[in-house]
Amino acid sequence: MNMSKKEYGDMVKKASPNSKIVANCIKAFAVGGTICTFGQGLYALCGALGASRDMQGMLVAISLIFLAVLVTGLGKYDDLVKFAGAGAGVPITGFANAVAAPAIEFKKEGYIMGVGAKMFLIAGPVIVYGTLSSMIVGLIYYFVR
């Protein structure tokens, strides 16, 4: 079947779903902003209760990680990602989900070959390349300064 580029382009337009870029951006902004606003509110609450700046940051990080893993364990984080897309990938909660989801999924294969081996399936490359790039930047900083 020979068809021209124009005919092929028309066929692709008919078969492709309409893009909802504006709606997706609004949902991502709203959900990501809500997560960040919640974290900032928690930070302020810890400060009001007398925690030091370092302690505030630590408590917020631990709380957000715990909540993300809890929501992942309840099977609701996937629903949030389907709704908000990139907005649910706010770094700390998205990373916690990336570590917890494979661990939960492969639990039936055992703690060693399932959870232990598969837990960093998604997050592992982030850790490896993040560590490697920080070492490279550190070495450059050390020799350039």
Side-chain angles (χ1 to χ4, degrees), residues 3-126:
M3 67 173 64
S4 69
K5 287 184 180 184
K6 184 183 180 333
E7 291 172 326
Y8 180 74
D10 292 340
M11 188 175 78
V12 168
K13 279 185 182 179
K14 284 182 193 175
S16 299
N18 291 334
S19 178
K20 301 173 186 170
I21 292 175
V22 174
N24 290 341
C25 287
I26 291 170
K27 287 190 260 185
F29 179 79
V31 171
T34 301
I35 292 170
C36 292
T37 301
F38 175 76
Q40 187 64 39
L42 195 56
Y43 185 85
L45 176 65
C46 292
L49 294 174
S52 67
R53 290 183 72 127
D54 289 340
M55 184 61 76
Q56 285 173 277
M58 185 172 46
L59 290 171
V60 170
I62 290 169
S63 299
L64 290 176
I65 290 169
F66 171 76
L67 290 172
V69 171
L70 178 67
V71 172
T72 299
L74 295 173
K76 298 298 179 188
Y77 204 91
D78 288 339
D79 297 338
L80 183 64
V81 170
K82 285 177 188 169
F83 174 76
V90 173
I92 197 162
T93 55
F95 190 74
N97 173 261
V99 172
I104 293 167
E105 182 179 344
F106 293 103
K107 188 174 99 174
K108 63 185 174 284
E109 294 180 22
Y111 288 110
I112 303 296
M113 296 307 292
V115 175
K118 307 286 184 168
M119 185 176 357
F120 295 106
L121 193 66
I122 297 171
V126 174

